[in-house]
Amino acid sequence: MEMTLRWYGSKFDTVTLKQIRQIPGVTGVITTLYDTKPGEVWSRERIHSIKKEVEASGLHISGIESVNVHDAIKAGLPERDSYIVNYIETLKNLGEEGIHLVCYNFMPVFDWTRTEVARRRADGSTVLAYTQEAVDALQPEKMFASIAEDANGSIMPGWEPERMEQVKELFALYSNVDEEKLFINLKYFLERIMPVCDQYNINMAIHPDDPAWSVFGLPRIIVNKENILRMMHMVDNPHNGVTFCSGSYGTNRKNNLPDMIRSLKGRIHFAHVRNLKFNSPTDFEEAAHLSSDGDFDMYEIMKALYEIGFCGPIRPDHGRMIWDEVAMPGYGLYDRALGAAYLNGLWEAIEKSQRR
């Protein structure tokens, strides 16, 4: 595996490439063109520019998170074909720049949902958190306002103000889309992009829905072992794979994370590893990566990845905000650096114990 860190670009991220380069064991970044909109073509010139910037720091681009999928594709609208053509052009440009991994999601309206982005924990750190009761008490169009004041002035991915202004229209767009139709629309999209993925050896790694159940009645399909295996079988191509995100799948306590990893051998192209602490089945907060700080056995998760021969990029996922750092919630430097060191330590211990 390769340890990486997510980086939003020098114009948007408080964390610098110089700082990332100094985290022991981190050799690559997972990045994006953060100011592009879903449906736009990523020019080869812009991809080349950010690639050179990363390489000048002594790192390299290990993958892209995300090339966002336009809502017309997810909802199956007539104009989806033109947006798929644009997506294919972006994949071609990435491939020609030697980038072979794209993380994306197929979630309607909200890319992820949290009801708090700065819940204070007993140790004084703040974390992203979710309670179903808070969601049930909110109108969807007020979700962004409920968390914006705690976002430290950052633009949260998937919660861009211009997108949130269209929430009512987006809900109307998906009014006739249920889980079955969403699966059909995902299949349509994947079948059309697989030829360019084959040509340029690009692994498409779908990110699970977060949380792993319906929010505001919206369909969610990438939520459990059964559904993810269905997705891979319906477009049976090795480039059609997954981002295994322990924090997203783990929101549903019924999901056995190590078992899911073992069932996906050869199709996990990217991994997000983080820990959650549950106060109830529908009230959780994000914890430090250390197993004992949350409810996940991080050793068993990393061991399962090792045992299936996972060799792709991995990154510590959302971190706590600690030591008075001011940054995009979940994406500060300090706690993610601690997480990277901890996960690298687990991997080394597993690797050495297996060899013996």
Side-chain angles (χ1 to χ4, degrees):
M1 67 91 184
E2 180 194 21
M3 187 59 64
T4 67
L5 209 73
R6 190 174 189 180
W7 181 65
Y8 287 97
S10 53
K11 293 182 180 179
F12 303 99
D13 210 316
T14 58
V15 181
T16 67
L17 291 171
K18 179 181 178 181
Q19 291 170 325
I20 295 172
R21 179 69 178 83
Q22 293 172 9
I23 304 171
V26 172
T27 57
V29 297
I30 303 296
T31 192
T32 188
L33 296 182
Y34 199 39
D35 55 354
T36 55
K37 296 178 181 179
E40 290 182 354
V41 174
W42 291 22
S43 71
R44 186 170 177 183
E45 290 74 20
R46 291 202 63 195
I47 297 166
H48 182 78
S49 177
I50 194 170
K51 178 184 176 184
K52 288 301 180 184
E53 181 183 5
V54 170
E55 290 175 347
S57 73
L59 299 162
H60 68 101
I61 294 178
S62 304
I64 297 296
E65 184 181 349
S66 302
V67 180
N68 290 316
V69 180
H70 196 276
D71 288 292
I73 299 172
K74 296 178 188 178
L77 302 183
E79 59 267 32
R80 64 180 170 180
D81 289 327
S82 63
Y83 288 112
I84 291 175
V85 168
N86 288 355
Y87 206 100
I88 289 170
E89 186 67 19
T90 293
L91 293 178
K92 178 182 176 182
N93 291 337
L94 289 168
E96 289 180 346
E97 287 297 325
I99 297 171
H100 303 290
L101 170 70
V102 172
C103 172
Y104 71 105
N105 74 73
F106 219 73
M107 289 181 257
V109 185
F110 300 110
D111 283 3
W112 53 274
T113 308
R114 293 293 183 272
T115 54
E116 299 167 73
V117 294
R119 177 184 288 183
R120 189 164 297 277
R121 304 187 80 212
D123 61 5
S125 64
T126 60
V127 294
L128 304 171
Y130 179 98
T131 60
Q132 187 62 46
E133 292 78 8
V135 169
D136 293 342
L138 273 174
Q139 294 178 325
E141 58 268 27
K142 294 183 178 179
M143 276 292 295
F144 177 74
S146 72
I147 65 171
E149 64 183 26
D150 292 323
N152 296 323
S154 58
I155 301 172
M156 303 289 284
W159 293 77
E160 296 80 6
E162 62 272 17
R163 180 173 177 79
M164 292 301 98
E165 289 172 0
Q166 301 173 357
V167 165
K168 285 186 177 181
E169 292 85 351
L170 288 169
F171 267 80
L173 187 69
Y174 289 99
S175 60
N176 294 316
V177 179
D178 58 13
E179 290 184 2
E180 190 61 28
K181 287 182 180 178
L182 198 59
F183 260 118
I184 291 169
N185 295 340
L186 175 59
K187 182 174 186 287
Y188 185 93
F189 168 67
L190 287 171
E191 286 177 338
R192 278 151 183 78
I193 67 169
M194 280 298 110
V196 74
C197 293
D198 292 337
Q199 181 181 357
Y200 289 97
N201 190 29
I202 295 175
N203 288 326
M204 296 298 297
I206 195 166
H207 190 283
D209 300 344
D210 189 1
W213 57 75
S214 176
V215 177
F216 296 122
L218 293 165
R220 293 289 180 94
I221 57 175
I222 309 301
V223 295
N224 55 29
K225 177 179 175 179
E226 177 185 5
N227 283 20
I228 197 67
L229 289 175
R230 176 185 174 182
M231 186 213 73
M232 290 192 300
H233 291 318
M234 74 184 189
V235 182
D236 194 8
N237 184 309
H239 291 117
N240 174 30
V242 305
T243 295
F244 192 89
C245 179
S246 63
S248 297
Y249 283 125
T251 57
N252 186 338
R253 301 307 304 277
K254 294 179 181 179
N255 284 335
N256 182 324
L257 300 178
D259 173 69
M260 290 180 71
I261 290 169
R262 292 185 174 95
S263 74
L264 298 169
K265 182 177 181 179
R267 301 292 278 274
I268 298 177
H269 298 319
F270 183 29
H272 296 175
V273 181
R274 59 181 164 92
N275 201 356
L276 296 179
K277 177 69 176 177
F278 286 84
N279 302 303
S280 79
T282 56
D283 180 338
F284 60 83
E285 59 194 49
E286 300 188 354
H289 288 77
L290 184 71
S291 295
S292 60
D293 196 56
D295 288 309
F296 296 167
D297 189 329
M298 306 297 276
Y299 173 85
E300 289 297 334
I301 290 170
M302 294 295 283
K303 184 169 179 280
L305 287 168
Y306 180 86
E307 288 176 351
I308 66 167
F310 175 72
C311 58
I314 187 172
R315 68 169 177 84
D317 208 358
H318 307 157
R320 302 168 300 149
M321 300 307 296
I322 61 174
W323 303 336
D324 299 320
E325 184 176 19
V326 177
M328 182 189 296
Y331 287 99
L333 170 65
Y334 305 140
D335 201 43
R336 288 191 298 153
L338 292 175
Y342 174 64
L343 297 177
N344 267 329
L346 286 176
W347 191 270
E348 179 182 352
I350 294 163
E351 189 173 47
K352 287 181 176 178
S353 66
Q354 293 290 319
R355 287 176 179 173
R356 292 171 184 165

